[in-house]
Amino acid sequence: MYQGTIALLEENAASIVRDRRQRGALDAHNRERLQKRSRDQREDQAEENEAELAHALMTDAAQPMREQVLRRIAMLDAAIVEEMMINQRLLDMLSERLALMRDNAIRLNDGRLGFDDGVGGYVDQTGRQITPDELVDAEMPSGGNAVTRYDEYSEARDRYEALEEKQMQLRSLQDQSDEIKEKLQTGEMSAEEAQRALDGLERDLDA
């Protein structure tokens, strides 16, 4: 009986040792997993820090170029505004000249204007010949002024229309310049892309 008790105690002791060894192995395994997870987290954080640093360095490096592009946009805007002001003055002058030319045109009963065709006849504002019958009740220019020559009127009118078209193109350039500036400031467009876009706008302005 005594020997049986000893055997039982030895068996229990061996079981306790096995349990401790198993728990020790499990604890070691868990510690290894925790250590690996901690290393992975540190590596991820290090990579994130490096990426943030690289982005900050790139941002700092790109800042002077963005400032240079913004100055270029400001200069282009000023040139567009100046061109628009000159163009508008020409439009105003031509508008007054055309109004005077129309005042010195013949007024037909149907509302058309008549102009001297330069060869002894008259044409309307579209260049169509006016018949003698159409001139019977027509209103001649007041004050005895000479009837406006059609070639002079059509030339001034065509010039006015060309200046109007140019003014529309200048407004379009202005809108495109504003769009480039907005995209540059929001990061939607890089400084290099903005430079290339501005090259095109400047060519259009000089055309």
Side-chain angles (χ1 to χ4, degrees):
M1 179 178 179
Y2 179 72
Q3 290 178 348
T5 300
I6 292 175
L8 181 60
L9 291 173
E10 289 176 349
E11 184 179 348
N12 289 339
S15 178
I16 291 171
V17 170
R18 284 196 301 273
D19 290 343
R20 287 179 176 174
R21 287 176 179 172
Q22 290 175 352
R23 286 197 298 272
L26 181 61
D27 290 344
H29 177 68
N30 289 335
R31 283 196 301 272
E32 183 177 350
R33 289 182 60 188
L34 290 172
Q35 289 173 352
K36 184 177 183 302
R37 183 182 300 174
S38 178
R39 285 196 302 271
D40 291 343
Q41 290 176 343
R42 288 197 300 271
E43 290 174 358
D44 290 343
Q45 185 63 47
E47 291 177 359
E48 184 177 343
N49 291 341
E50 289 178 1
E52 290 179 354
L53 178 60
H55 177 71
L57 291 174
M58 289 177 62
T59 300
D60 290 343
Q63 188 65 26
M65 182 173 288
R66 280 201 300 273
E67 294 297 331
Q68 179 182 352
V69 175
L70 288 173
R71 287 194 296 271
R72 186 178 174 188
I73 291 174
M75 293 175 62
L76 177 61
D77 287 343
I80 293 173
V81 169
E82 182 179 2
E83 191 71 18
M84 289 179 70
M85 292 174 63
I86 294 172
N87 201 64
Q88 187 59 53
R89 284 197 293 270
L90 293 174
L91 279 168
D92 293 341
M93 292 170 60
L94 270 175
S95 178
E96 293 178 2
R97 183 182 177 192
L98 285 168
L100 181 60
M101 286 180 164
R102 285 190 289 268
D103 287 342
N104 289 327
I106 301 170
R107 277 169 170 72
L108 303 177
N109 288 338
D110 58 9
R112 286 180 296 149
L113 298 178
F115 300 91
D116 184 352
D117 65 4
V119 290
Y122 299 96
V123 294
D124 65 14
Q125 62 265 37
T126 66
R128 188 177 73 85
Q129 198 72 35
I130 298 174
T131 66
D133 290 341
E134 290 175 316
L135 291 171
V136 172
D137 296 323
E139 180 184 346
M140 302 302 288
S142 61
N145 293 332
V147 177
T148 301
R149 288 278 299 264
Y150 177 74
D151 56 349
E152 296 176 355
Y153 174 78
S154 61
E155 181 183 356
R157 181 190 57 195
D158 292 346
R159 176 60 176 157
Y160 184 87
E161 291 174 354
L163 288 172
E164 277 191 320
E165 178 65 25
K166 182 177 181 180
Q167 199 76 337
M168 291 176 60
Q169 293 173 352
L170 289 170
R171 292 192 188 98
S172 177
L173 291 179
Q174 203 171 42
D175 292 340
Q176 293 177 66
S177 177
D178 291 341
E179 183 179 0
I180 293 171
K181 181 178 180 180
E182 181 179 353
K183 287 184 176 181
L184 179 66
Q185 292 176 329
T186 59
E188 189 176 348
M189 179 181 285
S190 68
E192 292 81 0
E193 291 171 332
Q195 293 275 33
R196 289 193 293 271
L198 289 173
D199 289 342
L201 293 188
E202 289 174 349
R203 284 194 298 269
D204 291 342
L205 181 61
D206 294 336

